[in-house]
Amino acid sequence: MKVVKSTQYYDILLSDDGKILEVVWKKTILDMLVEEYKNVLIEAYSLLFDYKPQMVLQNTKDAVYPITPEFQEWLTENITKKIFKKVGIKKIAYLMPSDFLTKLGIEMLVKKANQEAAEMPRRFFDDRQEALDWLNL
């Protein structure tokens, strides 16, 4: 994997074959207001249009922004439907943090996303290599 973009909020890595794009979220996202974070999400995921990967690894091991039901709706509309589906993402893996409440929020988001976009399977992982192996199946 090579770094294709690095900011104070995230690093974006692309696999050598261009099929997997990994977004590594940094702890600095926790200091942002919701509107700022939404802008950062759109900025980060808009890169999918440039690289057109088939799969995404959401690396939230170090930081996950708090996810409310309203924010879940926004993510579904603005990221899943307007970016992931248009790019043609086939699978999404989530590398999970150890914090229980954060895990719960992500699991709720993914459950809802799986219901609304079943053609784009999503799974949780505690191990990065396991996540990459699943994406490569």
Side-chain angles (χ1 to χ4, degrees):
M1 301 277 266
K2 62 182 178 225
V3 176
V4 294
K5 183 166 185 173
S6 184
T7 74
Q8 70 187 80
Y9 303 115
Y10 59 83
D11 289 330
I12 294 183
L13 296 86
L14 189 65
S15 62
D16 294 336
D17 61 7
K19 291 182 179 178
I20 300 173
L21 186 128
E22 179 178 0
V23 182
V24 182
W25 293 102
K26 299 178 183 177
K27 288 182 178 152
T28 50
I29 64 171
L30 300 173
D31 297 329
M32 291 195 280
L33 299 173
V34 173
E35 289 305 312
E36 291 175 301
Y37 185 55
K38 287 178 179 178
N39 290 333
V40 167
L41 284 166
I42 289 172
E43 171 192 290
Y45 293 118
S46 290
L47 285 174
L48 292 171
F49 290 109
D50 295 337
Y51 295 103
K52 298 191 178 11
Q54 296 173 8
M55 293 149 296
V56 173
L57 173 54
Q58 301 275 28
N59 188 333
T60 60
K61 198 78 172 162
D62 292 329
V64 174
Y65 200 81
I67 301 170
T68 62
E70 296 80 21
F71 194 49
Q72 285 180 4
E73 291 295 322
W74 184 90
L75 287 167
T76 298
E77 286 302 312
N78 295 280
I79 304 299
T80 301
K81 291 181 180 176
K82 292 183 179 172
I83 299 177
F84 290 171
K85 282 189 174 184
K86 286 185 179 175
V87 170
I89 298 300
K90 292 178 173 59
K91 289 168 125 177
I92 302 173
Y94 293 84
L95 188 57
M96 301 294 284
S98 53
D99 176 69
F100 175 75
L101 289 176
T102 303
K103 264 187 179 179
L104 194 59
I106 292 176
E107 287 173 6
M108 288 173 25
L109 173 67
V110 170
K111 183 177 180 184
K112 181 173 178 50
N114 276 335
Q115 291 169 347
E116 294 183 9
E119 73 280 0
M120 196 183 309
R122 300 156 194 253
R123 281 192 50 196
F124 308 105
F125 297 89
D126 293 320
D127 180 79
R128 184 174 179 270
Q129 191 56 53
E130 286 177 18
L132 289 169
D133 290 346
W134 178 75
L135 287 171
N136 279 309
L137 287 178

